Amino acid sequence: MNGATSFPVARYRFEFQARQPIRLPDYSGSMLRGAFGHALRQLACMTRQKECAACPLIGSCPYPAIFAPPPPATHSLQKFSQIPAPYVIEPPAWGSRVLAAGETLTFHHVLIGRALQELPLIILAWRRALARGVGAGDGTADLVRVVHCSATGDEEIHRPQIGTIAAHAQVISLVGQADDGLASTATLRFETPLRLQQNGHALPPEKLQARTLLMALARRASLLAEFHSEGPLVDDFAALSAACASVRDEKSLTWLDWTRFSSRQQQKMSLGGVVGTWRFEGKLAPFAPLLQLGEWLHVGKEAAFGLGRYELAQRVPGDISDDQEKSCERPRQVFERQARIP
């Protein structure tokens, strides 16, 4: 780690009231991302070109910067065909169902780095997306409120009828790397499929290793910091990789399959991964900030629409303290009746 003591990230809870029934599939992360991306492009794009790559405004348009950031021409680490987007959509809990008119759809949106500056546009994009319709049958909904979820508590920051967005912190404090010689433990409970890939295929539980996950966390956090904030978070990947040798792990993971329809490729795609608990023991101090960040950033393929989400069920002693725990309720479906907002 490069000695950073904070990281620019914030989690927002969006609460919508269904106007027409909304059909949620088993996993709605992909559906929500598609609706969000379409609405964001309609709001931000000025040239109306079909592809962003040839657009003369690609360097200043917020749509690619948020939704599909272009990779650099060259990079010291490797040649990138794509780079991680500075957001994570955390959809409702697993399970298909129908929300009737008047019920509440709740999901979370994590913003990272410079994407935090575009919060007003992002809120407007979500309002447009749900007003236009999502899911089979194009169910619609109206935004009720946006809540900022932080270590100090949940704070309502926006209601459409008020219009403004209340000031709030958009950074979290990173835990320290107290004693490199201290052995400690951490248990990660994966709530959405984790897809760590090798040769283009997601690894099953028996082929997953501690090094695979820990280095994936390091890579994702560092690239997000480099491309969307002030610079890389990890300055010595070789040293971090060597530190993995002292980490032992115990897995209780199972494979969970699911499919989604890709409108871009016009075909169904299988995107299964592992869920369950994964326990680590050893000299975890160098990885403590990364394990903390992973709760916000997720890890593995398709993290942008919520895969690879985990909760630290057991904190790293001396490193990840209780006051750093996210106070925001875990992403889940909330059903309640409310008065219609005019």
Side-chain angles (χ1 to χ4, degrees), residues 13-186:
R13 185 170 73 244
F14 283 76
E15 299 177 8
F16 281 85
Q17 184 182 55
R19 189 188 323 141
Q20 296 175 315
I22 299 175
R23 297 182 181 275
L24 297 177
D26 278 336
Y27 185 73
S28 54
S30 176
M31 178 193 79
L32 288 172
R33 184 185 65 165
F36 169 70
H38 183 79
L40 182 64
R41 197 178 200 279
Q42 283 192 326
L43 285 168
C45 179
M46 297 182 66
T47 63
R48 301 305 176 193
Q49 294 193 19
K50 288 187 176 181
E51 300 294 335
C52 294
C55 179
L57 301 181
I58 189 171
S60 58
C61 179
Y63 169 74
I66 297 169
F67 195 75
T74 60
H75 192 273
S76 59
L77 190 61
Q78 68 174 72
K79 180 173 177 59
F80 288 95
S81 59
Q82 59 182 14
I83 60 174
Y87 71 89
V88 175
I89 295 170
E90 297 177 328
W94 202 279
S96 61
R97 53 199 171 275
V98 178
L99 295 184
E103 291 182 325
T104 299
L105 169 68
T106 299
F107 60 88
H108 297 78
H109 198 167
V110 178
L111 299 180
I112 302 146
R114 297 184 184 94
L116 290 160
Q117 302 169 15
E118 303 293 347
L119 179 59
L121 176 63
I122 288 168
I123 291 176
L124 182 57
W126 278 118
R127 291 184 64 183
R128 292 280 182 92
L130 272 294
R132 178 177 178 268
V134 296
D138 289 330
T140 58
D142 300 307
L143 181 63
V144 176
R145 64 173 186 162
V146 181
V147 176
H148 174 236
C149 307
S150 73
T152 57
D154 296 353
E155 174 191 10
E156 180 182 299
I157 60 166
H158 174 73
R159 280 187 179 261
Q161 58 266 48
I162 297 175
T164 58
I165 299 174
H168 57 282
Q170 294 183 316
V171 65
I172 63 169
S173 298
L174 295 179
V175 298
Q177 303 175 59
D179 183 353
D180 288 346
L182 178 66
S184 51
T185 63

Side-chain angles (χ1 to χ4, degrees), residues 78-288:
Q78 68 174 72
K79 180 173 177 59
F80 288 95
S81 59
Q82 59 182 14
I83 60 174
Y87 71 89
V88 175
I89 295 170
E90 297 177 328
W94 202 279
S96 61
R97 53 199 171 275
V98 178
L99 295 184
E103 291 182 325
T104 299
L105 169 68
T106 299
F107 60 88
H108 297 78
H109 198 167
V110 178
L111 299 180
I112 302 146
R114 297 184 184 94
L116 290 160
Q117 302 169 15
E118 303 293 347
L119 179 59
L121 176 63
I122 288 168
I123 291 176
L124 182 57
W126 278 118
R127 291 184 64 183
R128 292 280 182 92
L130 272 294
R132 178 177 178 268
V134 296
D138 289 330
T140 58
D142 300 307
L143 181 63
V144 176
R145 64 173 186 162
V146 181
V147 176
H148 174 236
C149 307
S150 73
T152 57
D154 296 353
E155 174 191 10
E156 180 182 299
I157 60 166
H158 174 73
R159 280 187 179 261
Q161 58 266 48
I162 297 175
T164 58
I165 299 174
H168 57 282
Q170 294 183 316
V171 65
I172 63 169
S173 298
L174 295 179
V175 298
Q177 303 175 59
D179 183 353
D180 288 346
L182 178 66
S184 51
T185 63
T187 300
L188 282 59
R189 183 170 60 244
F190 281 92
E191 300 173 350
T192 61
L194 166 67
R195 291 178 58 83
L196 295 177
Q197 293 191 330
Q198 186 176 72
N199 299 324
H201 299 284
L203 295 170
E206 62 271 15
K207 292 188 177 181
L208 288 172
Q209 300 177 350
R211 181 189 302 273
T212 313
L213 177 72
L214 294 173
M215 294 309 294
L217 281 171
R219 179 184 175 86
R220 175 163 170 76
S222 192
L223 290 179
L224 283 167
E226 176 179 358
F227 292 127
H228 304 296
S229 188
E230 298 180 354
L233 196 63
V234 176
D235 49 17
D236 192 343
F237 278 94
L240 204 58
S241 180
C244 293
S246 69
V247 179
R248 300 173 298 280
D249 68 317
E250 180 181 337
K251 300 187 291 284
S252 181
L253 301 169
T254 58
W255 186 265
L256 177 63
D257 251 330
W258 74 286
T259 59
R260 75 177 182 95
F261 181 79
S262 171
S263 57
R264 181 175 63 86
Q265 301 184 36
Q266 289 297 301
Q267 64 178 352
K268 285 187 176 181
M269 302 179 66
S270 178
L271 289 174
V274 299
V275 294
T277 58
W278 196 346
R279 183 177 184 273
F280 299 91
E281 182 178 349
K283 298 177 182 178
L284 295 177
F287 304 102

